[in-house]
Amino acid sequence: MVESRPFRKDDIDGIVACLKRNFDWMSERTDEEITEWFSVLANHPWEDDNIDKNKYNYGKVLIDDGKIVGYFGGIGAERYVGEEKLLFMNFSTWAVDRGIRGSFFNHVEDMYSIPDVITDLTPNQASVMFESKFFGMDIEERGYIRLYPVPFMDNHKCYITHIQRGIEIDNNVVKKEFEDHETYKGIGLVRVEDRTGVCYVFYRKMLNNGEWIRILKVSNSRIFSRHCHEITWAIFEKEIYHSFLNDTDRYAEILRRSQNKEWIAMECERRFFGDAEIDYPLFTKMSKKRLYKNNAGVCFDNIDFLYTEYAFLV
């Protein structure tokens, strides 16, 4: 008889074996490689924050005769929406052995009712179907922008600081978010200030068939949209073109990589610009399906990609 319970740290070996049975690319890797890949899902720096409120902070395992035959991965964290503190759950990797998939839904139903806000940011076609049909997840076609590197050669209109330590941050929520994520590879944060206020921009540098950057959170869409070109180039300059002496050399490197078809870009959700037009010299528009469930009446324009698989896994 299949039973289920919350994930425990000693489940990792069994989960790795289950994942390798269900994903072709994982089956071709060693146990050590998959364990290392999985480790970011099994260890959250913020793990004690909401342990009493949600026992499924790391997801749930399915067990049959002492063997792990299913895993439904979750990343739980308490977040602030305005002044309100809510429990967010981002669903990530899941796998279920053949023969028991029919009973899978009965074991994960409660995971969709406990959190205040639930997201699945990378659903495949099957996930879109069953999560919307069986668990009431809303499907949204979210627009996102792919920004390509263009040197900023105008006069500076804002002050941009690359944050290195939490002590440099004057916003308590942003400070905690930075400290919760700073151990993950590729995470960066810039502080942008102009005459109207301050904006914090979280991002992650990725290495995947080239070099690219994903914007994870924008704290002030008006400032971000107003200075998008300058902010984008400051991040590109630090993360990719830091070894070049001037913008002329950097521009030559952009052309060289473009001719070699090396993908260099920055991805950003369209909603991070607010209602403003996108004032950027070279970009493309794209879209992607996201799944949300709003158990607390939250305005989803506030949702970002911190504390999700986008911040440290995919």
Side-chain angles (χ1 to χ4, degrees), residues 51-275:
I51 194 92
D52 294 331
K53 189 172 182 180
N54 179 26
K55 59 185 177 181
Y56 300 121
N57 285 327
Y58 297 90
K60 178 181 280 193
V61 294
L62 275 60
I63 301 173
D64 186 19
D65 195 25
K67 176 184 177 181
I68 292 179
V69 293
Y71 167 68
F72 195 75
I75 305 167
E78 287 187 334
R79 307 288 311 276
Y80 278 95
V81 177
E83 299 297 322
E84 192 173 3
K85 194 174 185 180
L86 301 174
L87 176 62
F88 279 59
M89 173 64 74
N90 172 235
F91 292 141
S92 56
T93 304
W94 63 274
V96 185
D97 287 349
R98 294 184 183 276
I100 64 165
R101 293 176 182 173
S103 64
F104 171 66
F105 303 103
N106 298 329
H107 291 282
V108 300
E109 186 174 6
D110 55 347
M111 291 185 65
Y112 288 85
S113 60
I114 295 175
D116 297 308
V117 178
I118 303 167
T119 60
D120 187 343
L121 302 175
T122 56
N124 57 27
Q125 187 173 354
S127 297
V128 171
M129 182 195 71
F130 81 76
E131 289 190 81
S132 60
K133 180 178 180 179
F134 293 99
F135 301 120
M137 295 281 277
D138 294 324
I139 306 170
E140 294 193 15
E141 193 79 19
R142 287 284 192 177
Y144 69 97
I145 309 300
R146 189 166 287 166
L147 306 160
Y148 299 97
V150 178
F152 180 81
M153 297 182 178
D154 200 352
N155 294 325
H156 295 289
K157 298 176 182 178
C158 61
Y159 298 96
I160 299 176
T161 305
H162 292 273
I163 300 298
Q164 304 297 325
R165 300 177 300 165
I167 196 173
E168 302 172 44
I169 302 170
D170 54 10
N171 180 302
N172 289 334
V173 172
V174 174
K175 179 179 180 181
K176 185 180 187 311
E177 291 170 340
F178 177 75
E179 291 173 344
D180 285 345
H181 289 78
E182 64 180 333
T183 59
Y184 293 118
K185 187 175 181 180
I187 293 292
L189 174 64
V190 295
R191 182 183 189 274
V192 184
E193 183 175 4
D194 69 4
R195 57 184 175 78
T196 67
V198 172
C199 172
Y200 287 96
V201 180
F202 284 87
Y203 66 89
R204 180 187 176 201
K205 180 184 177 182
M206 313 285 291
L207 293 174
N208 184 7
N209 298 323
E211 294 183 279
W212 55 291
I213 293 164
R214 175 181 289 131
I215 300 296
L216 302 174
K217 177 182 178 179
V218 170
S219 69
N220 187 316
S221 61
R222 290 190 300 274
I223 292 177
F224 178 74
S225 61
R226 186 181 303 128
H227 306 293
C228 174
H229 190 183
E230 191 168 352
I231 295 168
T232 300
W233 181 244
I235 295 173
F236 274 128
E237 189 176 30
K238 176 181 183 295
E239 298 295 344
I240 298 178
Y241 302 106
H242 56 275
S243 62
F244 296 89
L245 297 178
N246 53 60
D247 283 342
T248 301
D249 291 344
R250 295 183 184 104
Y251 188 68
E253 176 65 6
I254 291 171
L255 294 178
R256 185 192 69 79
R257 292 193 179 198
S258 176
Q259 291 170 351
N260 292 337
K261 297 182 178 180
E262 295 181 36
W263 182 27
I264 302 173
M266 179 181 294
E267 287 189 357
C268 178
E269 289 281 291
R270 174 63 180 88
R271 59 195 166 88
F272 288 166
F273 290 85
D275 296 329

Side-chain angles (χ1 to χ4, degrees), residues 25-42:
W25 74 268
M26 292 189 186
S27 67
E28 298 171 355
R29 308 291 180 87
T30 66
D31 288 357
E32 290 75 17
E33 288 175 317
I34 301 304
T35 299
E36 181 180 0
W37 175 88
F38 181 76
S39 63
V40 296
L41 290 175

